[in-house]
Amino acid sequence: MRPTTGTEDLLRLHAPQVLGALVRRYGHFGAAEDAVQEALLAAARQWPDQGLPENPRGWLIKVASRRLMDQLRADEARRRREEDAARLTPRDAFTAPPPGESRAPADDDTLTLLFLCCRPELSPAAQVALTLRAVGGLTTAEIARAHLVPEATMAQRISRAKAKIKGAPFRQPGPADRDARLAVVLQVLYLIFNEGYTATSGDALRRADLAREAIRLTRAVRRLLPREGPVTGLLALMLLTEARSAARTGPHGELIPLDEQDRTRWDRRAIAEGTALVEEALAQGPPGPYQLQAAIAALHDEAATPDSTDWPQILALYDILVRLTPEPMAGLGRTVAYAMVHGPHAGLDELASFEDELRGHYRLDAVRAHLLEKAGDTERARAAYRSAARGTLSRPEAHYLQTRAARLAP
Amino acid sequence: MKYLVMVQGSQADYEAMSGKPSADSPAWSEKELQAMFAFMSELNNDLAESGELVDGQGLTEPAQTRFVSRDKDGRPVITDGPYGETKEVLAGYWVLDCESLERVTEIALRISECPSPEGVVDPPVVIRPLQDASGGEV
């Protein structure tokens, strides 16, 4: 159903700008979003056969506007809504701007849309779905496939989300809560990335698209906000993580841990770009969690062999990270680094401080198992791997942990 | 036609797969586990590619079961597990959309060929046709 890649990229590029233009002009986010989807589908059908229009964005805006008008008029006829009639008059004479010259800053619309899709009153799942559709230009079917849910479920989720933000003003948050709102946008982008990155075997191909989409959207945010440390840091973190993805799973989707990966399969170009971004991010003010995690990822990626990893430096970064974030997972990461620097027994002592908070959490068992194995306590390591395997709900992780337990069989 | 295809296993089988042997279930070696994971992942990819896979899931071990019921006075009774060590319960399932019963039987036969350690006797693979939600001719 999808057009050729060239057309598809072009549509993805224009989708948020076309939607922004419509919402700015007419309001009605929900109806505008439907109209844009219809225009994108019409373009996907027509452009490959009939060739590209002179001004693709103008074409899309025109077609989407007509659809929206028809829709609003139909609504109005049906429900006699006075306020629609008023809104049907565009605020300025409608002509598509010539290329390279736009009346409204189209790029800013992308950011405004992101803020709109990531409004705090929406659940994270709804924020993700709406962002992928409104800003990413994905179809409901594609988003449903990526999340492995039926299309009807996803359609419902998206239309509920649209209903919820109905009437929200189409403008960026004011300076007072801008940082908090930007943090939510970044969190949603990171969530999309992780959904793609931690895909399981049978669906790996479909879901890897999500990681790429998250990187594309984060790049767009960075173009608009080049001097924001957290944005630069998040993009770096994504690139440095994604760089390892080819080496991260075996032929059957089995997980391969960092110290066993074939490092020649890491993407050097992504690592170079990510590393440069880390340096830039660290120069953009005091580092937050994204910058620190990106710096840690860069140190892993720069090591040609596991043994040449700069663990003391990684531990120093984790020491700052755990002071910034209450996340116990950051603490577990720090414990692993601590054990690499001070030995597995010292690491096991450190681990004791998480007993209460993470009791029964499989990650605690998994880290303990690794440290016990390194310490040569095979029997207890096996038991810890086993209970970690029992505790995770992720199939690839369960398989990996079972395999580690079996490897230590007497 | 949609079919539910089920495989069964006991708590002892789950234990054996994470390296703890029992009388009926020898512990799986790393190689045997990998062979089984690879077999299943290939099967799932083939079913996804042929468009027959609607859903397929593995269930966590029987020990993590929770029972919800009512006593004779209608009060809720909630208990966690346990099943007997060797009682066979649902371990995984596929919802498949197949041409015919013959075709889904072919797939079930393939599932039954999944490699396992010497001495393990697998319970049968179960096929149950699903009821169609749309009304037919009455």
Side-chain angles (χ1 to χ4, degrees), chain A residues 9-23 36 40 57 60 106-114 131 133-137 170 213 216-217 220:
Chain A
D9 288 346
L10 202 60
L11 294 178
R12 287 271 180 88
L13 178 74
H14 289 308
Q17 299 165 357
V18 174
L19 179 57
L22 256 69
V23 176
V36 171
L40 291 173
R57 188 194 304 171
L60 287 166
D107 277 350
D108 266 3
D109 283 351
T110 304
L111 197 55
T112 311
L113 277 179
L114 269 172
T131 299
R133 198 171 132 148
V135 193
F170 188 68
E213 184 62 22
R216 193 180 73 86
L217 292 174

PDB file of all heavy atoms in Angstrom, chain A residues 9-23 36 40 57 60 106-114 131 133-137 170 213 216-217 220:
ATOM      1  N   ASP A   9       9.282   9.454   1.697  1.00  0.00           N
ATOM      2  CA  ASP A   9      10.121  10.377   2.465  1.00  0.00           C
ATOM      3  C   ASP A   9       9.593  11.793   2.370  1.00  0.00           C
ATOM      4  O   ASP A   9       9.558  12.542   3.341  1.00  0.00           O
ATOM      5  CB  ASP A   9      11.567  10.338   1.945  1.00  0.00           C
ATOM      6  CG  ASP A   9      12.242   9.039   2.348  1.00  0.00           C
ATOM      7  OD1 ASP A   9      11.682   8.345   3.213  1.00  0.00           O
ATOM      8  OD2 ASP A   9      13.309   8.731   1.799  1.00  0.00           O
ATOM      9  N   LEU A  10       9.189  12.151   1.147  1.00  0.00           N
ATOM     10  CA  LEU A  10       8.693  13.498   0.904  1.00  0.00           C
ATOM     11  C   LEU A  10       7.422  13.751   1.719  1.00  0.00           C
ATOM     12  O   LEU A  10       7.250  14.807   2.331  1.00  0.00           O
ATOM     13  CB  LEU A  10       8.392  13.635  -0.600  1.00  0.00           C
ATOM     14  CG  LEU A  10       8.359  15.030  -1.177  1.00  0.00           C
ATOM     15  CD1 LEU A  10       9.702  15.700  -0.979  1.00  0.00           C
ATOM     16  CD2 LEU A  10       8.060  14.947  -2.667  1.00  0.00           C
ATOM     17  N   LEU A  11       6.542  12.751   1.752  1.00  0.00           N
ATOM     18  CA  LEU A  11       5.286  12.898   2.489  1.00  0.00           C
ATOM     19  C   LEU A  11       5.567  13.026   3.984  1.00  0.00           C
ATOM     20  O   LEU A  11       4.975  13.855   4.666  1.00  0.00           O
ATOM     21  CB  LEU A  11       4.373  11.701   2.225  1.00  0.00           C
ATOM     22  CG  LEU A  11       3.854  11.571   0.795  1.00  0.00           C
ATOM     23  CD1 LEU A  11       3.005  10.322   0.649  1.00  0.00           C
ATOM     24  CD2 LEU A  11       3.041  12.794   0.399  1.00  0.00           C
ATOM     25  N   ARG A  12       6.486  12.192   4.480  1.00  0.00           N
ATOM     26  CA  ARG A  12       6.845  12.254   5.886  1.00  0.00           C
ATOM     27  C   ARG A  12       7.384  13.633   6.245  1.00  0.00           C
ATOM     28  O   ARG A  12       7.110  14.178   7.296  1.00  0.00           O
ATOM     29  CB  ARG A  12       7.947  11.226   6.190  1.00  0.00           C
ATOM     30  CG  ARG A  12       7.468   9.823   6.199  1.00  0.00           C
ATOM     31  CD  ARG A  12       6.995   9.454   7.593  1.00  0.00           C
ATOM     32  NE  ARG A  12       6.529   8.082   7.602  1.00  0.00           N
ATOM     33  CZ  ARG A  12       7.329   7.051   7.817  1.00  0.00           C
ATOM     34  NH1 ARG A  12       8.596   7.232   8.051  1.00  0.00           N
ATOM     35  NH2 ARG A  12       6.852   5.837   7.825  1.00  0.00           N
ATOM     36  N   LEU A  13       8.179  14.164   5.334  1.00  0.00           N
ATOM     37  CA  LEU A  13       8.813  15.458   5.567  1.00  0.00           C
ATOM     38  C   LEU A  13       7.755  16.547   5.684  1.00  0.00           C
ATOM     39  O   LEU A  13       7.824  17.421   6.543  1.00  0.00           O
ATOM     40  CB  LEU A  13       9.765  15.761   4.405  1.00  0.00           C
ATOM     41  CG  LEU A  13      10.485  17.106   4.442  1.00  0.00           C
ATOM     42  CD1 LEU A  13      11.571  17.050   5.506  1.00  0.00           C
ATOM     43  CD2 LEU A  13      11.111  17.405   3.082  1.00  0.00           C
ATOM     44  N   HIS A  14       6.741  16.485   4.804  1.00  0.00           N
ATOM     45  CA  HIS A  14       5.769  17.572   4.755  1.00  0.00           C
ATOM     46  C   HIS A  14       4.617  17.408   5.736  1.00  0.00           C
ATOM     47  O   HIS A  14       3.970  18.391   6.083  1.00  0.00           O
ATOM     48  CB  HIS A  14       5.188  17.691   3.336  1.00  0.00           C
ATOM     49  CG  HIS A  14       6.187  18.220   2.348  1.00  0.00           C
ATOM     50  ND1 HIS A  14       6.892  19.380   2.578  1.00  0.00           N
ATOM     51  CD2 HIS A  14       6.596  17.761   1.145  1.00  0.00           C
ATOM     52  CE1 HIS A  14       7.700  19.607   1.549  1.00  0.00           C
ATOM     53  NE2 HIS A  14       7.544  18.637   0.672  1.00  0.00           N
ATOM     54  N   ALA A  15       4.360  16.146   6.179  1.00  0.00           N
ATOM     55  CA  ALA A  15       3.164  15.904   6.991  1.00  0.00           C
ATOM     56  C   ALA A  15       2.992  16.889   8.154  1.00  0.00           C
ATOM     57  O   ALA A  15       1.941  17.524   8.270  1.00  0.00           O
ATOM     58  CB  ALA A  15       3.154  14.465   7.489  1.00  0.00           C
ATOM     59  N   PRO A  16       4.011  17.056   9.019  1.00  0.00           N
ATOM     60  CA  PRO A  16       3.772  17.950  10.160  1.00  0.00           C
ATOM     61  C   PRO A  16       3.572  19.402   9.738  1.00  0.00           C
ATOM     62  O   PRO A  16       2.811  20.133  10.373  1.00  0.00           O
ATOM     63  CB  PRO A  16       5.033  17.797  11.017  1.00  0.00           C
ATOM     64  CG  PRO A  16       6.045  17.196  10.140  1.00  0.00           C
ATOM     65  CD  PRO A  16       5.330  16.422   9.076  1.00  0.00           C
ATOM     66  N   GLN A  17       4.248  19.801   8.643  1.00  0.00           N
ATOM     67  CA  GLN A  17       4.130  21.200   8.232  1.00  0.00           C
ATOM     68  C   GLN A  17       2.748  21.479   7.650  1.00  0.00           C
ATOM     69  O   GLN A  17       2.163  22.540   7.874  1.00  0.00           O
ATOM     70  CB  GLN A  17       5.231  21.520   7.221  1.00  0.00           C
ATOM     71  CG  GLN A  17       6.604  21.325   7.850  1.00  0.00           C
ATOM     72  CD  GLN A  17       7.711  21.265   6.829  1.00  0.00           C
ATOM     73  OE1 GLN A  17       7.460  21.308   5.624  1.00  0.00           O
ATOM     74  NE2 GLN A  17       8.939  21.178   7.296  1.00  0.00           N
ATOM     75  N   VAL A  18       2.234  20.498   6.908  1.00  0.00           N
ATOM     76  CA  VAL A  18       0.897  20.656   6.336  1.00  0.00           C
ATOM     77  C   VAL A  18      -0.135  20.692   7.459  1.00  0.00           C
ATOM     78  O   VAL A  18      -1.024  21.559   7.481  1.00  0.00           O
ATOM     79  CB  VAL A  18       0.591  19.496   5.356  1.00  0.00           C
ATOM     80  CG1 VAL A  18      -0.849  19.575   4.861  1.00  0.00           C
ATOM     81  CG2 VAL A  18       1.562  19.549   4.178  1.00  0.00           C
ATOM     82  N   LEU A  19       0.021  19.774   8.419  1.00  0.00           N
ATOM     83  CA  LEU A  19      -0.920  19.756   9.538  1.00  0.00           C
ATOM     84  C   LEU A  19      -0.833  21.057  10.323  1.00  0.00           C
ATOM     85  O   LEU A  19      -1.847  21.641  10.701  1.00  0.00           O
ATOM     86  CB  LEU A  19      -0.614  18.551  10.449  1.00  0.00           C
ATOM     87  CG  LEU A  19      -1.494  18.414  11.687  1.00  0.00           C
ATOM     88  CD1 LEU A  19      -2.963  18.343  11.314  1.00  0.00           C
ATOM     89  CD2 LEU A  19      -1.101  17.175  12.483  1.00  0.00           C
ATOM     90  N   GLY A  20       0.392  21.519  10.549  1.00  0.00           N
ATOM     91  CA  GLY A  20       0.575  22.774  11.278  1.00  0.00           C
ATOM     92  C   GLY A  20      -0.136  23.909  10.573  1.00  0.00           C
ATOM     93  O   GLY A  20      -0.826  24.731  11.194  1.00  0.00           O
ATOM     94  N   ALA A  21       0.012  23.976   9.239  1.00  0.00           N
ATOM     95  CA  ALA A  21      -0.615  25.050   8.471  1.00  0.00           C
ATOM     96  C   ALA A  21      -2.132  25.009   8.635  1.00  0.00           C
ATOM     97  O   ALA A  21      -2.778  26.045   8.809  1.00  0.00           O
ATOM     98  CB  ALA A  21      -0.236  24.916   6.994  1.00  0.00           C
ATOM     99  N   LEU A  22      -2.698  23.805   8.609  1.00  0.00           N
ATOM    100  CA  LEU A  22      -4.155  23.690   8.715  1.00  0.00           C
ATOM    101  C   LEU A  22      -4.655  24.056  10.113  1.00  0.00           C
ATOM    102  O   LEU A  22      -5.648  24.762  10.252  1.00  0.00           O
ATOM    103  CB  LEU A  22      -4.605  22.258   8.374  1.00  0.00           C
ATOM    104  CG  LEU A  22      -5.242  22.105   6.985  1.00  0.00           C
ATOM    105  CD1 LEU A  22      -4.209  22.309   5.897  1.00  0.00           C
ATOM    106  CD2 LEU A  22      -5.896  20.745   6.845  1.00  0.00           C
ATOM    107  N   VAL A  23      -3.946  23.545  11.133  1.00  0.00           N
ATOM    108  CA  VAL A  23      -4.408  23.799  12.504  1.00  0.00           C
ATOM    109  C   VAL A  23      -4.283  25.282  12.835  1.00  0.00           C
ATOM    110  O   VAL A  23      -5.159  25.885  13.446  1.00  0.00           O
ATOM    111  CB  VAL A  23      -3.613  22.950  13.528  1.00  0.00           C
ATOM    112  CG1 VAL A  23      -4.025  23.302  14.945  1.00  0.00           C
ATOM    113  CG2 VAL A  23      -3.844  21.472  13.270  1.00  0.00           C
ATOM    114  N   VAL A  36      -5.408  15.721   6.682  1.00  0.00           N
ATOM    115  CA  VAL A  36      -4.019  15.582   6.224  1.00  0.00           C
ATOM    116  C   VAL A  36      -3.735  14.131   5.846  1.00  0.00           C
ATOM    117  O   VAL A  36      -3.119  13.852   4.816  1.00  0.00           O
ATOM    118  CB  VAL A  36      -3.026  16.068   7.308  1.00  0.00           C
ATOM    119  CG1 VAL A  36      -1.588  15.721   6.915  1.00  0.00           C
ATOM    120  CG2 VAL A  36      -3.157  17.566   7.513  1.00  0.00           C
ATOM    121  N   LEU A  40      -2.434  12.860   2.278  1.00  0.00           N
ATOM    122  CA  LEU A  40      -1.214  12.053   2.127  1.00  0.00           C
ATOM    123  C   LEU A  40      -1.515  10.797   1.322  1.00  0.00           C
ATOM    124  O   LEU A  40      -0.732  10.389   0.460  1.00  0.00           O
ATOM    125  CB  LEU A  40      -0.653  11.674   3.505  1.00  0.00           C
ATOM    126  CG  LEU A  40      -0.072  12.808   4.359  1.00  0.00           C
ATOM    127  CD1 LEU A  40       0.286  12.282   5.755  1.00  0.00           C
ATOM    128  CD2 LEU A  40       1.168  13.401   3.711  1.00  0.00           C
ATOM    129  N   ARG A  57       4.314  20.661  -1.076  1.00  0.00           N
ATOM    130  CA  ARG A  57       3.693  21.069   0.178  1.00  0.00           C
ATOM    131  C   ARG A  57       2.412  21.858  -0.098  1.00  0.00           C
ATOM    132  O   ARG A  57       1.384  21.637   0.541  1.00  0.00           O
ATOM    133  CB  ARG A  57       4.641  21.892   1.032  1.00  0.00           C
ATOM    134  CG  ARG A  57       4.061  22.143   2.421  1.00  0.00           C
ATOM    135  CD  ARG A  57       4.774  23.197   3.197  1.00  0.00           C
ATOM    136  NE  ARG A  57       6.196  22.894   3.332  1.00  0.00           N
ATOM    137  CZ  ARG A  57       7.085  23.753   3.836  1.00  0.00           C
ATOM    138  NH1 ARG A  57       6.683  24.946   4.234  1.00  0.00           N
ATOM    139  NH2 ARG A  57       8.350  23.426   3.934  1.00  0.00           N
ATOM    140  N   LEU A  60      -0.340  19.543  -1.049  1.00  0.00           N
ATOM    141  CA  LEU A  60      -0.899  18.826   0.103  1.00  0.00           C
ATOM    142  C   LEU A  60      -1.791  19.741   0.935  1.00  0.00           C
ATOM    143  O   LEU A  60      -2.864  19.344   1.387  1.00  0.00           O
ATOM    144  CB  LEU A  60       0.233  18.264   0.981  1.00  0.00           C
ATOM    145  CG  LEU A  60       0.980  17.066   0.414  1.00  0.00           C
ATOM    146  CD1 LEU A  60       2.274  16.812   1.188  1.00  0.00           C
ATOM    147  CD2 LEU A  60       0.099  15.806   0.473  1.00  0.00           C
ATOM    148  N   ALA A 106       7.201  27.145   9.064  1.00  0.00           N
ATOM    149  CA  ALA A 106       6.712  25.769   8.988  1.00  0.00           C
ATOM    150  C   ALA A 106       7.422  24.859   9.981  1.00  0.00           C
ATOM    151  O   ALA A 106       6.823  23.979  10.578  1.00  0.00           O
ATOM    152  CB  ALA A 106       6.890  25.236   7.572  1.00  0.00           C
ATOM    153  N   ASP A 107       8.729  25.076  10.163  1.00  0.00           N
ATOM    154  CA  ASP A 107       9.480  24.209  11.064  1.00  0.00           C
ATOM    155  C   ASP A 107       8.993  24.343  12.496  1.00  0.00           C
ATOM    156  O   ASP A 107       8.907  23.380  13.233  1.00  0.00           O
ATOM    157  CB  ASP A 107      10.964  24.565  11.001  1.00  0.00           C
ATOM    158  CG  ASP A 107      11.608  23.873   9.818  1.00  0.00           C
ATOM    159  OD1 ASP A 107      10.932  23.020   9.218  1.00  0.00           O
ATOM    160  OD2 ASP A 107      12.756  24.188   9.505  1.00  0.00           O
ATOM    161  N   ASP A 108       8.661  25.581  12.853  1.00  0.00           N
ATOM    162  CA  ASP A 108       8.173  25.788  14.198  1.00  0.00           C
ATOM    163  C   ASP A 108       6.875  25.038  14.430  1.00  0.00           C
ATOM    164  O   ASP A 108       6.569  24.649  15.538  1.00  0.00           O
ATOM    165  CB  ASP A 108       7.946  27.280  14.444  1.00  0.00           C
ATOM    166  CG  ASP A 108       9.184  27.890  15.085  1.00  0.00           C
ATOM    167  OD1 ASP A 108      10.153  27.135  15.249  1.00  0.00           O
ATOM    168  OD2 ASP A 108       9.172  29.087  15.398  1.00  0.00           O
ATOM    169  N   ASP A 109       6.115  24.858  13.345  1.00  0.00           N
ATOM    170  CA  ASP A 109       4.881  24.098  13.464  1.00  0.00           C
ATOM    171  C   ASP A 109       5.166  22.684  13.938  1.00  0.00           C
ATOM    172  O   ASP A 109       4.408  22.117  14.714  1.00  0.00           O
ATOM    173  CB  ASP A 109       4.146  24.045  12.115  1.00  0.00           C
ATOM    174  CG  ASP A 109       3.439  25.360  11.828  1.00  0.00           C
ATOM    175  OD1 ASP A 109       3.383  26.210  12.736  1.00  0.00           O
ATOM    176  OD2 ASP A 109       2.947  25.526  10.710  1.00  0.00           O
ATOM    177  N   THR A 110       6.262  22.106  13.441  1.00  0.00           N
ATOM    178  CA  THR A 110       6.618  20.754  13.862  1.00  0.00           C
ATOM    179  C   THR A 110       6.771  20.699  15.382  1.00  0.00           C
ATOM    180  O   THR A 110       6.265  19.799  16.043  1.00  0.00           O
ATOM    181  CB  THR A 110       7.940  20.320  13.201  1.00  0.00           C
ATOM    182  OG1 THR A 110       7.786  20.436  11.792  1.00  0.00           O
ATOM    183  CG2 THR A 110       8.301  18.901  13.562  1.00  0.00           C
ATOM    184  N   LEU A 111       7.459  21.675  15.913  1.00  0.00           N
ATOM    185  CA  LEU A 111       7.698  21.698  17.348  1.00  0.00           C
ATOM    186  C   LEU A 111       6.390  21.946  18.112  1.00  0.00           C
ATOM    187  O   LEU A 111       6.111  21.312  19.127  1.00  0.00           O
ATOM    188  CB  LEU A 111       8.717  22.795  17.669  1.00  0.00           C
ATOM    189  CG  LEU A 111       9.391  22.700  19.032  1.00  0.00           C
ATOM    190  CD1 LEU A 111      10.057  21.350  19.214  1.00  0.00           C
ATOM    191  CD2 LEU A 111      10.418  23.812  19.182  1.00  0.00           C
ATOM    192  N   THR A 112       5.578  22.882  17.581  1.00  0.00           N
ATOM    193  CA  THR A 112       4.289  23.175  18.225  1.00  0.00           C
ATOM    194  C   THR A 112       3.432  21.905  18.251  1.00  0.00           C
ATOM    195  O   THR A 112       2.787  21.591  19.252  1.00  0.00           O
ATOM    196  CB  THR A 112       3.548  24.288  17.463  1.00  0.00           C
ATOM    197  OG1 THR A 112       4.457  25.361  17.246  1.00  0.00           O
ATOM    198  CG2 THR A 112       2.361  24.791  18.254  1.00  0.00           C
ATOM    199  N   LEU A 113       3.443  21.174  17.132  1.00  0.00           N
ATOM    200  CA  LEU A 113       2.683  19.919  17.061  1.00  0.00           C
ATOM    201  C   LEU A 113       3.192  18.916  18.087  1.00  0.00           C
ATOM    202  O   LEU A 113       2.415  18.221  18.736  1.00  0.00           O
ATOM    203  CB  LEU A 113       2.813  19.296  15.669  1.00  0.00           C
ATOM    204  CG  LEU A 113       1.882  19.805  14.590  1.00  0.00           C
ATOM    205  CD1 LEU A 113       2.196  19.085  13.293  1.00  0.00           C
ATOM    206  CD2 LEU A 113       0.427  19.570  14.967  1.00  0.00           C
ATOM    207  N   LEU A 114       4.520  18.839  18.212  1.00  0.00           N
ATOM    208  CA  LEU A 114       5.087  17.908  19.192  1.00  0.00           C
ATOM    209  C   LEU A 114       4.596  18.260  20.600  1.00  0.00           C
ATOM    210  O   LEU A 114       4.206  17.384  21.370  1.00  0.00           O
ATOM    211  CB  LEU A 114       6.615  17.955  19.150  1.00  0.00           C
ATOM    212  CG  LEU A 114       7.295  16.969  18.214  1.00  0.00           C
ATOM    213  CD1 LEU A 114       8.784  17.266  18.119  1.00  0.00           C
ATOM    214  CD2 LEU A 114       7.103  15.533  18.701  1.00  0.00           C
ATOM    215  N   THR A 131       1.954  11.288  18.389  1.00  0.00           N
ATOM    216  CA  THR A 131       3.185  11.845  17.841  1.00  0.00           C
ATOM    217  C   THR A 131       3.551  11.143  16.541  1.00  0.00           C
ATOM    218  O   THR A 131       3.895  11.789  15.537  1.00  0.00           O
ATOM    219  CB  THR A 131       4.346  11.691  18.858  1.00  0.00           C
ATOM    220  OG1 THR A 131       4.002  12.418  20.027  1.00  0.00           O
ATOM    221  CG2 THR A 131       5.652  12.226  18.303  1.00  0.00           C
ATOM    222  N   ARG A 133       1.641   9.644  14.508  1.00  0.00           N
ATOM    223  CA  ARG A 133       0.712   9.903  13.418  1.00  0.00           C
ATOM    224  C   ARG A 133       0.773  11.353  12.962  1.00  0.00           C
ATOM    225  O   ARG A 133       0.898  11.640  11.777  1.00  0.00           O
ATOM    226  CB  ARG A 133      -0.706   9.541  13.825  1.00  0.00           C
ATOM    227  CG  ARG A 133      -1.537   9.406  12.577  1.00  0.00           C
ATOM    228  CD  ARG A 133      -2.883   8.845  12.792  1.00  0.00           C
ATOM    229  NE  ARG A 133      -3.815   9.723  12.094  1.00  0.00           N
ATOM    230  CZ  ARG A 133      -4.927   9.304  11.544  1.00  0.00           C
ATOM    231  NH1 ARG A 133      -5.245   8.040  11.601  1.00  0.00           N
ATOM    232  NH2 ARG A 133      -5.719  10.141  10.941  1.00  0.00           N
ATOM    233  N   ALA A 134       0.704  12.283  13.903  1.00  0.00           N
ATOM    234  CA  ALA A 134       0.603  13.689  13.522  1.00  0.00           C
ATOM    235  C   ALA A 134       1.946  14.260  13.087  1.00  0.00           C
ATOM    236  O   ALA A 134       2.017  15.042  12.147  1.00  0.00           O
ATOM    237  CB  ALA A 134       0.030  14.495  14.686  1.00  0.00           C
ATOM    238  N   VAL A 135       3.018  13.897  13.758  1.00  0.00           N
ATOM    239  CA  VAL A 135       4.319  14.467  13.437  1.00  0.00           C
ATOM    240  C   VAL A 135       5.114  13.517  12.541  1.00  0.00           C
ATOM    241  O   VAL A 135       5.817  13.944  11.631  1.00  0.00           O
ATOM    242  CB  VAL A 135       5.123  14.798  14.710  1.00  0.00           C
ATOM    243  CG1 VAL A 135       6.318  15.661  14.362  1.00  0.00           C
ATOM    244  CG2 VAL A 135       4.246  15.533  15.716  1.00  0.00           C
ATOM    245  N   GLY A 136       4.995  12.214  12.798  1.00  0.00           N
ATOM    246  CA  GLY A 136       5.750  11.247  12.010  1.00  0.00           C
ATOM    247  C   GLY A 136       5.097  10.937  10.675  1.00  0.00           C
ATOM    248  O   GLY A 136       5.742  10.437   9.765  1.00  0.00           O
ATOM    249  N   GLY A 137       3.806  11.224  10.560  1.00  0.00           N
ATOM    250  CA  GLY A 137       3.123  10.961   9.294  1.00  0.00           C
ATOM    251  C   GLY A 137       2.904   9.481   9.022  1.00  0.00           C
ATOM    252  O   GLY A 137       2.662   9.076   7.897  1.00  0.00           O
ATOM    253  N   PHE A 170      -3.177  26.187  19.651  1.00  0.00           N
ATOM    254  CA  PHE A 170      -2.060  25.780  18.800  1.00  0.00           C
ATOM    255  C   PHE A 170      -0.922  26.776  18.961  1.00  0.00           C
ATOM    256  O   PHE A 170      -0.722  27.660  18.134  1.00  0.00           O
ATOM    257  CB  PHE A 170      -2.509  25.707  17.334  1.00  0.00           C
ATOM    258  CG  PHE A 170      -1.455  25.105  16.451  1.00  0.00           C
ATOM    259  CD1 PHE A 170      -1.115  23.769  16.561  1.00  0.00           C
ATOM    260  CD2 PHE A 170      -0.782  25.875  15.519  1.00  0.00           C
ATOM    261  CE1 PHE A 170      -0.132  23.203  15.753  1.00  0.00           C
ATOM    262  CE2 PHE A 170       0.207  25.320  14.708  1.00  0.00           C
ATOM    263  CZ  PHE A 170       0.519  23.994  14.836  1.00  0.00           C
ATOM    264  N   GLU A 213      12.519   6.218  13.240  1.00  0.00           N
ATOM    265  CA  GLU A 213      11.567   7.333  13.259  1.00  0.00           C
ATOM    266  C   GLU A 213      11.875   8.264  14.431  1.00  0.00           C
ATOM    267  O   GLU A 213      11.841   9.488  14.288  1.00  0.00           O
ATOM    268  CB  GLU A 213      10.143   6.772  13.379  1.00  0.00           C
ATOM    269  CG  GLU A 213       9.058   7.797  13.326  1.00  0.00           C
ATOM    270  CD  GLU A 213       9.018   8.557  12.005  1.00  0.00           C
ATOM    271  OE1 GLU A 213       9.540   8.042  10.987  1.00  0.00           O
ATOM    272  OE2 GLU A 213       8.485   9.669  11.993  1.00  0.00           O
ATOM    273  N   ARG A 216      14.792  10.347  13.562  1.00  0.00           N
ATOM    274  CA  ARG A 216      14.423  11.377  12.588  1.00  0.00           C
ATOM    275  C   ARG A 216      13.713  12.550  13.277  1.00  0.00           C
ATOM    276  O   ARG A 216      14.028  13.717  13.032  1.00  0.00           O
ATOM    277  CB  ARG A 216      13.502  10.762  11.527  1.00  0.00           C
ATOM    278  CG  ARG A 216      13.272  11.595  10.298  1.00  0.00           C
ATOM    279  CD  ARG A 216      12.353  10.875   9.323  1.00  0.00           C
ATOM    280  NE  ARG A 216      10.972  10.839   9.768  1.00  0.00           N
ATOM    281  CZ  ARG A 216      10.089  11.814   9.537  1.00  0.00           C
ATOM    282  NH1 ARG A 216      10.460  12.891   8.884  1.00  0.00           N
ATOM    283  NH2 ARG A 216       8.854  11.709   9.966  1.00  0.00           N
ATOM    284  N   LEU A 217      12.773  12.239  14.168  1.00  0.00           N
ATOM    285  CA  LEU A 217      12.035  13.294  14.857  1.00  0.00           C
ATOM    286  C   LEU A 217      12.946  14.075  15.802  1.00  0.00           C
ATOM    287  O   LEU A 217      12.832  15.292  15.920  1.00  0.00           O
ATOM    288  CB  LEU A 217      10.849  12.691  15.633  1.00  0.00           C
ATOM    289  CG  LEU A 217       9.725  12.106  14.767  1.00  0.00           C
ATOM    290  CD1 LEU A 217       8.691  11.407  15.638  1.00  0.00           C
ATOM    291  CD2 LEU A 217       9.061  13.183  13.929  1.00  0.00           C
ATOM    292  N   ALA A 220      14.856  16.512  13.946  1.00  0.00           N
ATOM    293  CA  ALA A 220      14.039  17.687  13.598  1.00  0.00           C
ATOM    294  C   ALA A 220      13.970  18.650  14.786  1.00  0.00           C
ATOM    295  O   ALA A 220      14.089  19.872  14.616  1.00  0.00           O
ATOM    296  CB  ALA A 220      12.641  17.243  13.179  1.00  0.00           C
TER     297      ALA A 220
END
